[in-house]
């Protein structure tokens, strides 16, 4: 089992940057695929980015490509989401998630493939 805690959210102006971190407990962090999702008020939770256990494979939502970068440090049990060129439409609660049984690239995008979730961190981008 793994417990996840996000940090790094806050209020930023459009065009600014934030770096989210997700710290995981447990000694098997390197076994998990990690993902970032977000949920805006009145909207469904949506995929933002995902990274394989090794860090070699990375997947991004179209809205994140070219602006966001996912990375992980297995020695620190931490996954990161660097968010640049932020837009007001990026405003949401951001969640990190861990999955043991991701089979293919399509699975990264599916919230129901993830086994563990953090409580979330609020990101607000002002115009």
């Amino acid at each position: 089992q793994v417990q996840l805690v996000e940090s790094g959210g806050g209020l930023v102006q459009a065009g600014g940057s934030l770096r989210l971190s997700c710290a995981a407990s447990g000694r098997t962090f390197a076994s998990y695929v990690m993902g970032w999702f977000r949920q805006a008020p009145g909207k469904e939770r949506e995929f933002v980015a995902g990274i394989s256990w090794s860090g070699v494979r990375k997947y991004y939502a179209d809205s994140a490509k070219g602006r966001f970068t996912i990375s992980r440090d297995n020695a620190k049990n931490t996954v990161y989401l660097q968010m640049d060129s932020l837009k007001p439409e990026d405003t949401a609660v951001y969640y990190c998630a861990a999955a043991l049984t991701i089979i293919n690239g399509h699975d990264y995008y599916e919230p129901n493939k993830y086994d563990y979730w953090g409580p979330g961190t609020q990101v607000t981008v002002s115009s």
Side-chain angles (χ1 to χ4, degrees):
Q1 189 167 355
V2 63
Q3 292 182 324
L4 306 171
V5 179
E6 303 93 339
S7 61
L11 174 64
V12 64
Q13 289 188 331
S17 298
L18 282 175
R19 188 194 196 201
L20 304 184
S21 298
C22 174
S25 65
R27 292 176 288 180
T28 60
F29 174 76
S31 301
Y32 289 87
V33 163
M34 299 299 297
W36 284 97
F37 290 77
R38 68 186 183 186
Q39 188 166 18
K43 295 187 177 181
E44 292 186 355
R45 190 168 298 190
E46 64 176 3
F47 172 80
V48 177
I51 188 167
S52 63
W53 64 269
S54 67
V56 171
R57 291 187 298 276
K58 301 178 182 181
Y59 299 85
Y60 296 95
D62 288 344
S63 60
K65 287 178 182 176
R67 300 188 300 126
F68 295 2
T69 303
I70 189 171
S71 62
R72 68 189 296 163
D73 186 336
N74 287 342
K76 296 182 178 179
N77 281 13
T78 303
V79 62
Y80 305 97
L81 185 67
Q82 177 67 40
M83 303 188 295
D84 299 317
S85 302
L86 283 162
K87 305 174 181 179
E89 51 264 44
D90 294 318
T91 295
V93 177
Y94 283 70
Y95 301 89
C96 72
L100 269 179
T101 55
I102 293 288
I103 303 300
N104 54 47
H106 182 266
D107 287 349
Y108 281 78
Y109 295 78
E110 300 296 330
N112 60 9
K113 295 296 185 181
Y114 291 79
D115 304 291
Y116 303 102
W117 293 82
T121 185
Q122 177 70 47
V123 171
T124 303
V125 184
S126 63
S127 57

